Amino acid sequence: MTYCVAMNLADGLVFVSDSRTNAGVDHIATFRKLHVFGVPGERLIVLQSAGNLATSQSVISLLRHRLGGEGAHLHNVPTLFDAASLVGATLREVLERDSGPSLGQGVDLGCSFLLGGQIRGAAPGLFNLYPQGNFIEATRDTPYFQIGESKYGKPILDRALQHATPLEQALRCALISFDSTIRSNLSVGMPLDVLVYRADSLLIPEGYRVSEGDAYFESIRAFWGAGLRQLLGELPELPDQYWL
Amino acid sequence: MTYCVAMNLADGLVFVSDSRTNAGVDHIATFRKLHVFGVPGERLIVLQSAGNLATSQSVISLLRHRLGGEGAHLHNVPTLFDAASLVGATLREVLERDSGPSLGQGVDLGCSFLLGGQIRGAAPGLFNLYPQGNFIEATRDTPYFQIGESKYGKPILDRALQHATPLEQALRCALISFDSTIRSNLSVGMPLDVLVYRADSLLIPEGYRVSEGDAYFESIRAFWGAGLRQLLGELPELPDQYWL
């Protein structure tokens, strides 16, 4: 499984992905699921993937291989909408290649992508691509998307995240969402890949890899766990009728 | 869908169930999923159900109908293990009746139960019955079970609940777990049925129904949401490398 979150906020974009892949509980590996494309000063396009690893790797490889070529590619499409369309078309191309009648029997080849970034002249944007290659775009009402094992980490996002949330608070919120997921589900695991993009900077951030034992991540895990238990103790006292 | 939690703790048992059932998003109804059996001073047996409503209602009706009869029933089985076995056998009886070759085509008739309580002379116990009618028992290491839409509300239980947790703290923790689930998933809804049992009391508590707009539940929802946002703001500052 996988867990990826992306946010499109007033101040910029936040991306966090885990890196665990598994085929059964006895075949676990680490693969990066956060991929960066871009031209400094002109565009940044970040892709995150969940689902069949052979499919998502093929899509990313084809997108990279075609950069600078004749046709449309992620460094020359004029808008983020065109970028999402291109990724969707590439996904359909891979699925068509790999799912002929003699192939892929009973194997789920599907995968999902989150695509976010900015192209000079337009605002930052964020898209959620379905396994069919079609997609939806994040809005002010729904400023974040998740793919993969999304349920454990959704409540904290629903409670604490809005379009106006500052980037620092949003990134902390994403990290807590990952901690909740990792604690409850073995198929989501460290290291995490983090990338924060300030709107209109048109920089290509390096991003940061949060490894097992990362001092900051460990400190917020401990702080958060203790804080929640304390908060629970401070909740108003239960009225008598709850005890009858 | 459904969400039910039951806890077997040092001080007693805590049960909370939602009451929403749905067949599609346009066929929603309210059904109680928490059922109490018992003989004051001698035994308490609480059942919670998730899954196919026709199946679970049939099982509960048969169990009630047979109370006081000749054979084994929930008021005469000698142990909670026997009670769980009886519920499992009744579930298999219903499934056999309703899933003949001409019946139940493509319909999932399965349901799950949580069974907890105490019978005089033994400690309180808690069992999780699978749709096959077999079951597992809660232990000190794993003092709680969930059935139904369990993922959204699991992180708070994993972080804050242990066998030694006092009943009041455990019930608050369960209510927060329900609030998280209700916010993120439409198929789980109010009212909630709550029942708390103090170990060795051998009383049959009435339980309490938490209705939409319940003053206490609303107050802890608001308190918890504000507390989490504040806690997020108080997390240690992000180190520079997260921002590169």
Side-chain angles (χ1 to χ4, degrees):
Chain A
M1 205 65 182
T2 286
Y3 179 36
C4 301
V5 171
M7 305 168 174
N8 183 10
L9 307 172
D11 296 345
L13 302 161
V14 174
F15 305 89
V16 186
S17 299
D18 89 314
S19 59
R20 181 161 294 172
T21 66
N22 69 302
V25 289
D26 57 352
H27 192 169
I28 286 179
T30 301
F31 283 92
R32 189 175 168 91
K33 300 165 193 173
L34 189 148
H35 308 275
V36 183
F37 296 78
V39 180
E42 205 272 323
R43 69 178 58 206
L44 167 76
I45 296 177
V46 178
L47 277 168
Q48 294 169 286
S49 58
N52 187 293
L53 184 64
T55 303
S56 62
Q57 279 199 346
S58 265
V59 172
I60 299 292
S61 294
L62 286 171
L63 290 168
R64 281 217 186 283
H65 184 73
R66 288 166 182 171
L67 289 178
E70 294 279 301
H73 55 73
L74 288 182
H75 287 178
N76 72 3
V77 289
T79 67
L80 282 177
F81 179 89
D82 295 310
S85 301
L86 179 66
V87 174
T90 311
L91 171 57
R92 285 192 288 260
E93 174 189 340
V94 170
L95 289 175
E96 197 146 314
R97 182 193 73 188
D98 292 352
S99 58
S102 64
L103 306 165
Q105 289 152 353
V107 175
D108 183 359
L109 295 173
C111 70
S112 312
F113 289 95
L114 300 179
L115 181 151
Q118 184 172 22
I119 295 180
R120 198 170 54 203
L126 173 63
F127 296 83
N128 183 354
L129 282 85
Y130 298 111
Q132 292 73 26
N134 57 352
F135 50 84
I136 57 173
E137 183 171 3
T139 62
R140 273 169 174 266
D141 290 332
T142 304
Y144 76 90
F145 288 135
Q146 305 169 287
I147 52 176
E149 186 57 71
S150 59
K151 293 186 178 185
Y152 302 105
K154 191 166 188 289
I156 181 67
L157 300 174
D158 285 340
R159 287 184 198 269
L161 193 75
Q162 291 172 322
H163 184 255
T165 304
L167 290 179
E168 168 140 19
Q169 179 89 339
L171 177 51
R172 288 168 174 176
C173 183
L175 293 173
I176 295 300
S177 172
F178 271 80
D179 183 39
S180 298
T181 308
I182 288 170
R183 276 174 193 276
S184 290
N185 191 304
L186 270 185
S187 75
V188 176
M190 308 282 286
L192 309 180
D193 290 302
V194 172
L195 191 145
V196 178
Y197 171 76
R198 287 186 197 284
D200 303 326
S201 69
L202 293 171
L203 298 172
I204 315 286
E206 256 186 64
Y208 177 64
R209 174 155 275 202
V210 184
S211 302
E212 192 78 53
D214 179 272
Y216 178 72
F217 193 62
E218 288 303 319
S219 76
I220 62 167
R221 295 185 101 155
F223 187 99
W224 188 257
L228 283 196
R229 285 187 293 274
Q230 194 186 330
L231 198 58
L232 216 47
E234 289 167 2
L235 285 177
E237 215 170 295
L238 280 154
D240 286 345
Q241 65 265 31
Y242 276 74
W243 297 98
L244 292 177
Chain B
M1 205 66 183
T2 287
Y3 179 36
C4 301
V5 172
M7 305 167 175
N8 184 8
L9 307 173
D11 295 346
L13 301 162
V14 174
F15 305 89
V16 186
S17 298
D18 89 315
S19 60
R20 181 161 294 172
T21 66
N22 70 301
V25 289
D26 57 350
H27 192 170
I28 287 181
T30 300
F31 282 92
R32 189 177 167 91
K33 300 166 193 173
L34 188 149
H35 309 274
V36 183
F37 297 79
V39 180
E42 204 270 324
R43 68 178 61 204
L44 168 77
I45 296 177
V46 177
L47 276 169
Q48 294 167 287
S49 57
N52 187 292
L53 184 64
T55 303
S56 62
Q57 279 198 345
S58 265
V59 172
I60 299 292
S61 295
L62 286 171
L63 291 168
R64 283 221 185 281
H65 184 75
R66 289 167 183 172
L67 290 179
E70 294 278 300
H73 55 72
L74 287 182
H75 287 178
N76 73 3
V77 288
T79 67
L80 283 177
F81 179 91
D82 294 310
S85 302
L86 179 66
V87 175
T90 311
L91 171 58
R92 284 190 291 258
E93 175 187 341
V94 170
L95 289 176
E96 197 146 318
R97 182 193 74 188
D98 292 352
S99 58
S102 64
L103 306 165
Q105 287 152 353
V107 176
D108 183 359
L109 295 173
C111 70
S112 312
F113 289 94
L114 299 180
L115 181 152
Q118 184 171 22
I119 295 179
R120 197 170 54 203
L126 172 63
F127 296 82
N128 183 356
L129 281 85
Y130 298 110
Q132 291 74 27
N134 57 352
F135 50 82
I136 58 173
E137 183 173 4
T139 62
R140 276 171 172 263
D141 291 331
T142 303
Y144 76 90
F145 288 135
Q146 305 168 288
I147 52 176
E149 187 58 72
S150 60
K151 293 186 179 185
Y152 303 103
K154 191 166 189 288
I156 182 66
L157 300 174
D158 284 340
R159 286 185 200 269
L161 193 75
Q162 291 173 320
H163 184 255
T165 303
L167 289 179
E168 169 139 20
Q169 179 89 339
L171 177 51
R172 290 167 172 178
C173 184
L175 293 172
I176 296 298
S177 173
F178 271 80
D179 182 40
S180 299
T181 308
I182 288 169
R183 276 175 193 275
S184 292
N185 191 304
L186 271 184
S187 75
V188 175
M190 309 282 286
L192 308 180
D193 288 302
V194 172
L195 192 146
V196 179
Y197 171 77
R198 287 184 196 285
D200 302 327
S201 69
L202 293 170
L203 298 172
I204 315 285
E206 254 186 65
Y208 177 63
R209 173 156 275 203
V210 185
S211 303
E212 192 78 54
D214 179 272
Y216 178 73
F217 192 60
E218 289 303 319
S219 76
I220 63 167
R221 293 184 103 157
F223 188 97
W224 188 256
L228 282 197
R229 284 187 294 275
Q230 193 187 332
L231 199 58
L232 216 47
E234 289 168 1
L235 285 177
E237 216 171 294
L238 281 154
D240 287 344
Q241 65 266 29
Y242 275 74
W243 295 98
L244 291 177

mmCIF file of all heavy atoms in Angstrom, chain A residues 16-35:
data_model
loop_
_atom_site.group_PDB
_atom_site.id
_atom_site.type_symbol
_atom_site.label_atom_id
_atom_site.label_comp_id
_atom_site.label_asym_id
_atom_site.label_seq_id
_atom_site.Cartn_x
_atom_site.Cartn_y
_atom_site.Cartn_z
ATOM 1 N N VAL A 16 3.624 15.221 0.737
ATOM 2 C CA VAL A 16 4.306 14.210 1.563
ATOM 3 C C VAL A 16 3.896 12.833 1.056
ATOM 4 O O VAL A 16 2.704 12.587 0.816
ATOM 5 C CB VAL A 16 3.964 14.339 3.065
ATOM 6 C CG1 VAL A 16 4.808 13.367 3.880
ATOM 7 C CG2 VAL A 16 4.167 15.763 3.563
ATOM 8 N N SER A 17 4.890 11.956 0.877
ATOM 9 C CA SER A 17 4.640 10.572 0.434
ATOM 10 C C SER A 17 5.379 9.612 1.337
ATOM 11 O O SER A 17 6.477 9.920 1.794
ATOM 12 C CB SER A 17 5.192 10.347 -0.980
ATOM 13 O OG SER A 17 4.572 11.186 -1.908
ATOM 14 N N ASP A 18 4.819 8.435 1.557
ATOM 15 C CA ASP A 18 5.612 7.392 2.199
ATOM 16 C C ASP A 18 6.395 6.673 1.100
ATOM 17 O O ASP A 18 6.359 7.092 -0.073
ATOM 18 C CB ASP A 18 4.727 6.432 3.005
ATOM 19 C CG ASP A 18 4.216 5.277 2.169
ATOM 20 O OD1 ASP A 18 3.746 5.531 1.035
ATOM 21 O OD2 ASP A 18 4.282 4.129 2.612
ATOM 22 N N SER A 19 7.111 5.612 1.458
ATOM 23 C CA SER A 19 7.941 4.956 0.441
ATOM 24 C C SER A 19 7.878 3.440 0.551
ATOM 25 O O SER A 19 8.757 2.749 0.074
ATOM 26 C CB SER A 19 9.386 5.423 0.588
ATOM 27 O OG SER A 19 9.828 5.088 1.879
ATOM 28 N N ARG A 20 6.838 2.912 1.214
ATOM 29 C CA ARG A 20 6.759 1.459 1.363
ATOM 30 C C ARG A 20 5.921 0.869 0.238
ATOM 31 O O ARG A 20 4.851 1.377 -0.087
ATOM 32 C CB ARG A 20 6.143 1.091 2.716
ATOM 33 C CG ARG A 20 6.053 -0.432 2.920
ATOM 34 C CD ARG A 20 5.898 -0.802 4.357
ATOM 35 N NE ARG A 20 7.095 -0.451 5.126
ATOM 36 C CZ ARG A 20 7.184 -0.513 6.447
ATOM 37 N NH1 ARG A 20 6.161 -0.918 7.146
ATOM 38 N NH2 ARG A 20 8.300 -0.176 7.061
ATOM 39 N N THR A 21 6.426 -0.195 -0.358
ATOM 40 C CA THR A 21 5.604 -0.964 -1.288
ATOM 41 C C THR A 21 5.565 -2.384 -0.754
ATOM 42 O O THR A 21 6.496 -2.847 -0.107
ATOM 43 C CB THR A 21 6.194 -0.992 -2.709
ATOM 44 O OG1 THR A 21 7.421 -1.709 -2.681
ATOM 45 C CG2 THR A 21 6.419 0.414 -3.232
ATOM 46 N N ASN A 22 4.465 -3.056 -0.998
ATOM 47 C CA ASN A 22 4.422 -4.448 -0.562
ATOM 48 C C ASN A 22 3.558 -5.285 -1.490
ATOM 49 O O ASN A 22 2.571 -4.819 -2.050
ATOM 50 C CB ASN A 22 3.906 -4.561 0.873
ATOM 51 C CG ASN A 22 2.440 -4.212 0.985
ATOM 52 O OD1 ASN A 22 2.042 -3.112 0.625
ATOM 53 N ND2 ASN A 22 1.638 -5.145 1.460
ATOM 54 N N ALA A 23 4.011 -6.504 -1.673
ATOM 55 C CA ALA A 23 3.197 -7.512 -2.335
ATOM 56 C C ALA A 23 3.093 -8.621 -1.298
ATOM 57 O O ALA A 23 3.984 -9.459 -1.168
ATOM 58 C CB ALA A 23 3.886 -8.003 -3.600
ATOM 59 N N GLY A 24 2.034 -8.568 -0.506
ATOM 60 C CA GLY A 24 1.968 -9.435 0.674
ATOM 61 C C GLY A 24 2.844 -8.849 1.773
ATOM 62 O O GLY A 24 3.653 -7.947 1.537
ATOM 63 N N VAL A 25 2.664 -9.363 2.992
ATOM 64 C CA VAL A 25 3.424 -8.796 4.111
ATOM 65 C C VAL A 25 4.876 -9.265 4.134
ATOM 66 O O VAL A 25 5.694 -8.742 4.879
ATOM 67 C CB VAL A 25 2.785 -9.143 5.481
ATOM 68 C CG1 VAL A 25 1.492 -8.381 5.663
ATOM 69 C CG2 VAL A 25 2.573 -10.632 5.631
ATOM 70 N N ASP A 26 5.223 -10.250 3.291
ATOM 71 C CA ASP A 26 6.585 -10.765 3.308
ATOM 72 C C ASP A 26 7.380 -10.304 2.086
ATOM 73 O O ASP A 26 8.425 -10.853 1.766
ATOM 74 C CB ASP A 26 6.575 -12.300 3.386
ATOM 75 C CG ASP A 26 5.804 -12.916 2.236
ATOM 76 O OD1 ASP A 26 5.157 -12.152 1.486
ATOM 77 O OD2 ASP A 26 5.849 -14.147 2.088
ATOM 78 N N HIS A 27 6.854 -9.297 1.383
ATOM 79 C CA HIS A 27 7.602 -8.771 0.247
ATOM 80 C C HIS A 27 7.485 -7.251 0.280
ATOM 81 O O HIS A 27 6.646 -6.657 -0.391
ATOM 82 C CB HIS A 27 7.034 -9.340 -1.067
ATOM 83 C CG HIS A 27 7.925 -9.082 -2.237
ATOM 84 N ND1 HIS A 27 7.774 -9.658 -3.454
ATOM 85 C CD2 HIS A 27 9.003 -8.268 -2.356
ATOM 86 C CE1 HIS A 27 8.713 -9.226 -4.276
ATOM 87 N NE2 HIS A 27 9.463 -8.379 -3.635
ATOM 88 N N ILE A 28 8.326 -6.675 1.128
ATOM 89 C CA ILE A 28 8.262 -5.242 1.390
ATOM 90 C C ILE A 28 9.512 -4.584 0.830
ATOM 91 O O ILE A 28 10.601 -5.147 0.925
ATOM 92 C CB ILE A 28 8.145 -5.014 2.916
ATOM 93 C CG1 ILE A 28 6.735 -5.390 3.358
ATOM 94 C CG2 ILE A 28 8.460 -3.587 3.296
ATOM 95 C CD1 ILE A 28 6.482 -5.241 4.822
ATOM 96 N N ALA A 29 9.351 -3.439 0.226
ATOM 97 C CA ALA A 29 10.511 -2.745 -0.321
ATOM 98 C C ALA A 29 10.295 -1.245 -0.192
ATOM 99 O O ALA A 29 9.215 -0.780 0.153
ATOM 100 C CB ALA A 29 10.704 -3.132 -1.780
ATOM 101 N N THR A 30 11.357 -0.475 -0.465
ATOM 102 C CA THR A 30 11.287 0.984 -0.395
ATOM 103 C C THR A 30 11.426 1.569 -1.793
ATOM 104 O O THR A 30 12.408 1.285 -2.488
ATOM 105 C CB THR A 30 12.414 1.506 0.524
ATOM 106 O OG1 THR A 30 12.234 0.931 1.815
ATOM 107 C CG2 THR A 30 12.368 3.020 0.628
ATOM 108 N N PHE A 31 10.437 2.308 -2.221
ATOM 109 C CA PHE A 31 10.480 2.996 -3.515
ATOM 110 C C PHE A 31 9.974 4.418 -3.328
ATOM 111 O O PHE A 31 8.945 4.618 -2.678
ATOM 112 C CB PHE A 31 9.581 2.291 -4.549
ATOM 113 C CG PHE A 31 10.185 1.045 -5.120
ATOM 114 C CD1 PHE A 31 9.938 -0.180 -4.534
ATOM 115 C CD2 PHE A 31 11.014 1.116 -6.228
ATOM 116 C CE1 PHE A 31 10.509 -1.335 -5.054
ATOM 117 C CE2 PHE A 31 11.586 -0.036 -6.752
ATOM 118 C CZ PHE A 31 11.325 -1.276 -6.168
ATOM 119 N N ARG A 32 10.675 5.351 -3.909
ATOM 120 C CA ARG A 32 10.250 6.746 -3.843
ATOM 121 C C ARG A 32 8.971 6.922 -4.657
ATOM 122 O O ARG A 32 8.854 6.410 -5.767
ATOM 123 C CB ARG A 32 11.368 7.598 -4.441
ATOM 124 C CG ARG A 32 11.192 9.068 -4.270
ATOM 125 C CD ARG A 32 12.430 9.814 -4.802
ATOM 126 N NE ARG A 32 12.148 11.224 -4.890
ATOM 127 C CZ ARG A 32 12.370 12.100 -3.912
ATOM 128 N NH1 ARG A 32 12.901 11.690 -2.780
ATOM 129 N NH2 ARG A 32 12.065 13.370 -4.069
ATOM 130 N N LYS A 33 7.990 7.632 -4.097
ATOM 131 C CA LYS A 33 6.725 7.843 -4.797
ATOM 132 C C LYS A 33 6.479 9.315 -5.104
ATOM 133 O O LYS A 33 5.388 9.686 -5.509
ATOM 134 C CB LYS A 33 5.577 7.314 -3.939
ATOM 135 C CG LYS A 33 5.719 5.828 -3.647
ATOM 136 C CD LYS A 33 4.812 5.394 -2.521
ATOM 137 C CE LYS A 33 5.191 4.014 -2.033
ATOM 138 N NZ LYS A 33 4.422 3.656 -0.818
ATOM 139 N N LEU A 34 7.513 10.147 -4.862
ATOM 140 C CA LEU A 34 7.387 11.577 -5.116
ATOM 141 C C LEU A 34 8.412 11.942 -6.191
ATOM 142 O O LEU A 34 9.608 11.700 -6.006
ATOM 143 C CB LEU A 34 7.624 12.339 -3.819
ATOM 144 C CG LEU A 34 7.338 13.834 -3.830
ATOM 145 C CD1 LEU A 34 6.863 14.293 -2.461
ATOM 146 C CD2 LEU A 34 8.547 14.626 -4.246
ATOM 147 N N HIS A 35 7.933 12.470 -7.308
ATOM 148 C CA HIS A 35 8.776 12.701 -8.479
ATOM 149 C C HIS A 35 8.661 14.154 -8.905
ATOM 150 O O HIS A 35 7.552 14.683 -9.021
ATOM 151 C CB HIS A 35 8.343 11.782 -9.612
ATOM 152 C CG HIS A 35 8.260 10.341 -9.193
ATOM 153 N ND1 HIS A 35 9.347 9.494 -9.178
ATOM 154 C CD2 HIS A 35 7.220 9.620 -8.704
ATOM 155 C CE1 HIS A 35 8.982 8.310 -8.723
ATOM 156 N NE2 HIS A 35 7.689 8.354 -8.422
#
